[in-house]
Amino acid sequence: MMHNRQNYISISALDTRVRHVYAYPTVRQFSSNESVTITYVDSNGDEHPVIAEVGHHLLDVAHNNNIELEGACGGELACSTCHLIFDQDVYDSLPPKSDEEEDMLDLAFELTETSRLGCQIRVTKELDGIKVRIPDDGY
């Protein structure tokens, strides 16, 4: 019996695809065609307004717009390097923190009462026009 080589996929090609999916676990499938403006304020006070698609996490929005917000764990809620600081009124409108997020925030530098992790906050239409501060990471 002859086998057509086109019906087979090499293991190395399969491995590449699996690594690609695993390497980018924060790729979100919850975006829409709607967008809002979010302004990131860096530790120097410089403002960086960006267009953010509704449904994306603030960490992903920052990365997609070359904003320096680390996110060392890739948005898996295993670090605090995507720590953001919100104005009180915005903070009050956000969904409640999970226990896991609270635990990670305990490790954050320059923690405030209005601190949240960017990997846990999805962009909504209600966030249009907000400013969010990126704290000094100590380096």
Side-chain angles (χ1 to χ4, degrees):
M1 177 176 183
M2 288 196 64
H3 296 284
N4 182 343
R5 288 182 62 94
Q6 293 175 339
N7 292 333
Y8 293 92
I9 188 167
S10 75
I11 296 298
S12 62
L14 180 61
D15 288 347
T16 300
R17 276 189 241 138
V18 171
R19 276 195 304 272
H20 176 75
V21 170
Y22 181 74
Y24 299 97
T26 63
V27 173
R28 318 289 198 211
Q29 300 300 319
F30 301 101
S31 65
S32 72
N33 291 331
E34 297 180 277
S35 59
V36 300
T37 300
I38 307 274
T39 300
Y40 291 86
V41 182
D42 66 26
S43 60
N44 295 322
D46 296 328
E47 295 187 0
H48 307 275
V50 300
I51 301 300
E53 283 188 49
V54 170
H56 283 223
H57 288 89
L58 289 177
L59 173 62
D60 298 331
V61 171
H63 287 177
N64 292 341
N65 289 281
N66 298 315
I67 303 293
E68 289 191 40
L69 182 62
E70 186 173 344
C73 72
E76 293 296 311
L77 195 53
C79 72
S80 62
T81 60
C82 65
H83 170 213
L84 296 169
I85 300 172
F86 294 85
D87 289 338
Q88 186 69 53
D89 60 326
V90 175
Y91 177 85
D92 291 341
S93 73
L94 298 174
K97 289 182 252 187
S98 67
D99 291 340
E100 293 84 4
E101 182 180 4
E102 192 72 57
D103 289 344
M104 288 297 108
L105 280 168
D106 286 341
L107 305 173
F109 186 77
E110 205 178 318
L111 186 66
T112 73
E113 291 294 319
T114 61
S115 292
R116 293 294 300 268
L117 297 180
C119 67
Q120 298 302 299
I121 306 300
R122 281 194 196 280
V123 175
T124 64
K125 290 188 288 185
E126 293 74 26
L127 296 182
D128 190 25
I130 69 163
K131 290 184 181 182
V132 60
R133 190 165 68 84
I134 302 170
D136 187 351
D137 63 7
Y139 293 107

